[in-house]
Amino acid sequence: MKKIIITIDGPAASGKEKIAKYIAKKWKLKHLDSGILYRQLALIILKKKIKYDNLFELRKIIKSKPKLSLRKTKKIRSQEVSALTSSIAVYKFIREYINRKQRQIVKINSNQRGFVIDGRDIGSVVFKKADLKLFVYVSEKNRAKRRYKQLIDSGEKSIYQKILKEIKLRDRQDKNRKHSPLVIPKGSHLIENNGSFNDTKKQINYLIRSILDGLSK
Ligand code: DC
């Protein structure tokens, strides 16, 4: 059977990861979180003490074809790595390297039934011919409220207004980036993730069932 590719794009804190994990489990697909690849590359750059604007050294690193782990470690979620990741994700040569990695991962794992891949440019650039493209929509205020609750629940101090400001800033950076800005990919389905997760699941499963029906005909 043909390998199924489902892409999930959307802004920061819109619940892409939760949706991707849910789809992977329910439909027995492999989950690829493209943000991890960007973060692992940023960690390598950080360890080598290279600044985000030292294009000469950054290009040298890419030329050396660094291996990028898919492990989601605590280190790659740190504030330092997050900030550096945003800064290096604007460069075309870096994006092209990570895009190639994603396509290789999908190609190499030919034994998989398919992949669900989440990020900011997956349906618009990396896998333009995906079987199903989803774009997750959640209002800025709801995203900030959810992130705030997550932090408070995990015992961290947090200020709602500060989080809302950060989310607005990341949206602006993602949407205004020169290369591969965050856009609603052509042919994508809008997934409304403002309400309960059950509502979100219904929207998604309806779409997946219809593409699977189409593929088996
Ligand atoms: O989804 P995340 O927070 O792990 O993403 C980390 C950073 O990488 C974030 O600044 C956006 C960027 N990113 C990107 O530009 N394109 C992707 N496909 C995935 C992530």
Side-chain angles (χ1 to χ4, degrees):
M1 195 178 150
K2 181 184 174 288
K3 206 188 295 183
I4 307 159
I5 303 280
I6 300 179
T7 63
I8 307 180
D9 291 296
S14 57
K16 295 184 297 284
E17 191 186 0
K18 186 172 176 182
I19 292 176
K21 282 193 169 144
Y22 167 75
I23 294 177
K25 193 163 178 224
K26 163 112 185 148
W27 296 95
K28 300 190 175 57
L29 303 175
K30 192 132 175 79
H31 173 207
L32 172 57
D33 176 346
S34 61
I36 292 184
L37 296 172
Y38 282 94
R39 287 173 182 272
Q40 289 285 1
L41 180 61
L43 184 62
I44 293 174
I45 293 166
L46 189 73
K47 280 187 182 157
K48 288 190 187 281
K49 298 192 167 55
I50 294 167
K51 293 253 315 274
Y52 76 93
D53 56 355
N54 188 343
L55 291 181
F56 178 76
E57 290 298 328
L58 291 180
R59 280 187 196 277
K60 238 166 80 180
I61 290 200
I62 296 300
K63 275 203 184 118
S64 74
K65 298 192 174 78
K67 280 208 176 107
L68 302 176
S69 154
L70 282 170
R71 282 189 51 224
K72 192 174 177 178
T73 57
K74 214 172 168 186
K75 248 190 208 152
I76 65 165
R77 307 298 307 177
S78 73
Q79 203 42 47
E80 214 180 358
V81 172
S82 298
L84 183 60
T85 308
S86 299
S87 305
I88 60 160
V90 301
Y91 299 126
K92 193 169 177 221
F93 65 97
I94 289 202
R95 302 200 69 85
E96 283 174 350
Y97 184 68
I98 305 260
N99 293 352
R100 272 201 302 280
K101 284 268 167 213
Q102 293 180 59
R103 294 184 191 117
Q104 267 169 12
I105 292 167
V106 168
K107 205 169 167 189
I108 291 167
N109 289 278
S110 54
N111 55 336
Q112 298 291 337
R113 192 171 127 94
F115 276 81
V116 50
I117 308 138
D118 71 297
R120 306 289 194 288
D121 60 344
I122 312 301
S124 56
V125 175
V126 193
F127 294 100
K128 281 188 184 168
K129 292 185 180 161
D131 300 287
L132 179 65
K133 298 180 186 181
L134 307 177
F135 188 88
V136 186
Y137 172 76
V138 181
S139 71
E140 281 173 346
K141 282 187 179 158
N142 274 345
R143 285 187 276 140
K145 265 190 222 158
R146 287 177 189 172
R147 175 95 0 131
Y148 172 77
K149 188 174 177 301
Q150 252 176 14
L151 288 169
I152 295 292
D153 287 351
S154 66
E156 280 189 51
K157 277 194 188 139
S158 175
I159 300 167
Y160 170 77
Q161 286 303 340
K162 189 168 168 259
I163 292 186
L164 182 61
K165 212 170 139 191
E166 277 168 11
I167 282 186
K168 285 184 176 173
L169 175 72
R170 275 184 75 180
D171 278 3
R172 227 178 304 135
Q173 283 173 338
D174 282 342
K175 286 179 188 163
N176 296 322
R177 188 166 57 206
K178 188 171 162 210
H179 302 294
S180 309
L182 174 70
V183 291
I184 300 179
K186 245 192 213 152
S188 63
H189 297 265
L190 215 58
I191 298 295
E192 238 260 48
N193 193 26
N194 275 298
S196 75
F197 198 59
N198 264 338
D199 282 347
T200 304
K201 285 199 252 183
K202 274 185 210 151
Q203 300 172 57
I204 293 166
N205 290 331
Y206 173 77
L207 289 168
I208 299 182
R209 269 188 206 107
S210 34
I211 64 143
L212 288 179
D213 279 354
L215 288 176
S216 65
K217 269 175 198 158

